[in-house]
Amino acid sequence: MKGLRVVWALAAKDIRIATVSPILYVVSGVFLLLVGLFFWQIVSFATIQSMQMLRFQGAMPQLNLTAMVFQPMFRNMHVILLLVIPLLTMRLLSEERKHKTIELVMTSPVTIAQLVAGKFLAVLVLYLCLIGFTLYMPVLLSVWGSVDWPTVLSGYLGFVLVGAVYLALGLLASSLTENQVSAGVLTFGMNLGLWIVGWAAMTADGSGVQPVLEHLSLTQHFDAFLKGLISAASIVYVVSLAAFGLFLTHRVLDSNRWRS
């Protein structure tokens, strides 16, 4: 219990620092603005389609809002996350390395595992709040039509898990350099690399490596969540990938401690 209190104290400290920084509000504002624009465009397109179907059929069609609105909306949000995540994670450890405050933390009773867990928990809480602000979309559409809530919530679960992977890799990148910009670029590169695995799986059609690439592809697992397909294999793989990123962060910090 004491270890958990230490982790939460470290996380609460980082959350307080982030909430007084204008960067968080700028990043959140840009993210929500882009999401809102995409949402308005996709809903407008769905409305035009429904009006055209009404004109030809003479009756209001049964619209699948999940397929017409939320699946493309969530895929667009996924792309935006590639740009947002590096901005959320680039300062987590690089700033402390730059100001030499990380040495003070590492020589205190706080363990490296607690430091990594606290940093990750802090940015995960901020990320969950950011994603939570987009819940207005299904709520608004539920007034207009029937929303398949289990599938929508499955998509949000996919966002939480995939975001955890991106955040863990961002924390790893932040532990490798003192420069925040370098950490952000490295985070973007690693997260984009996970997308490239998905592209390779699509182009490897018919080859023996395609099933392996599909299993390793984060985008393939995310698409399964968007369709409401929650499998234990997908959850275990994504959680393991995030845990591996945190493990590597721990090893980097541990090696730096012995070198210093």
Side-chain angles (χ1 to χ4, degrees):
M1 292 299 295
K2 181 180 178 181
L4 293 177
R5 287 197 297 268
V6 172
V7 169
W8 175 246
L10 291 171
K13 170 179 170 287
D14 268 24
I15 292 174
R16 285 195 300 269
I17 293 174
T19 52
V20 298
S21 171
I23 296 178
L24 176 64
Y25 298 101
V26 171
V27 171
S28 301
V30 171
F31 173 78
L32 294 174
L33 176 62
L34 291 176
V35 168
L37 289 175
F38 280 123
F39 177 65
W40 176 73
Q41 290 180 341
I42 293 173
V43 170
S44 297
F45 180 72
T47 302
I48 293 173
Q49 280 191 319
S50 64
M51 292 298 102
Q52 290 176 344
M53 295 173 64
L54 175 61
R55 185 180 304 122
F56 288 113
Q57 297 179 4
M60 181 60 70
Q62 294 294 324
L63 300 178
N64 186 345
L65 295 179
T66 303
M68 293 180 65
V69 176
F70 289 110
Q71 288 184 6
M73 185 66 246
F74 284 166
R75 290 190 178 97
N76 287 331
M77 288 173 59
H78 193 191
V79 174
I80 301 173
L81 284 182
L82 287 179
L83 304 174
V84 170
I85 293 294
L87 299 176
L88 291 177
T89 61
M90 63 184 186
R91 55 161 294 276
L92 287 174
L93 289 169
S94 59
E95 187 176 29
E96 299 218 27
R97 290 189 58 179
K98 181 179 179 180
H99 295 97
K100 308 302 181 184
T101 56
I102 192 170
E103 282 126 7
L104 296 175
V105 177
M106 294 174 67
T107 55
S108 68
V110 176
T111 66
I112 296 179
Q114 290 170 340
L115 174 63
V116 173
K119 293 286 185 180
F120 179 72
L121 178 60
V123 74
L124 181 62
V125 169
L126 296 175
Y127 172 76
L128 292 177
C129 292
L130 190 61
I131 295 300
F133 283 129
T134 67
L135 284 170
Y136 72 88
M137 298 187 300
V139 172
L140 284 178
L141 285 187
S142 65
V143 179
W144 181 40
S146 177
V147 173
D148 184 4
W149 280 104
T151 303
V152 171
L153 294 178
S154 172
Y156 273 104
L157 175 62
F159 263 112
V160 173
L161 295 176
V162 170
V165 174
Y166 292 155
L167 294 173
L169 294 180
L171 185 60
L172 172 62
S174 184
S175 71
L176 294 171
T177 177
E178 296 180 358
N179 188 286
Q180 294 187 29
V181 176
S182 298
V185 172
L186 184 56
T187 301
F188 177 78
M190 289 191 293
N191 292 340
L192 184 61
L194 295 176
W195 278 61
I196 294 176
V197 174
W199 298 338
M202 290 187 292
T203 57
D205 189 19
S207 66
V209 298
Q210 185 183 18
V212 178
L213 292 176
E214 287 181 346
H215 180 72
L216 296 177
S217 170
L218 197 61
T219 55
Q220 295 281 348
H221 292 283
F222 180 68
D223 282 342
F225 282 108
L226 295 188
K227 298 173 184 175
L229 304 175
I230 302 177
S231 67
S234 293
I235 294 177
V236 169
Y237 172 71
V238 177
V239 171
S240 300
L241 199 56
F244 184 63
L246 296 178
F247 169 76
L248 292 179
T249 305
H250 183 282
R251 299 307 303 162
V252 169
L253 294 178
D254 191 43
S255 64
N256 289 338
R257 181 180 64 177
W258 287 109
R259 283 201 299 266
S260 59

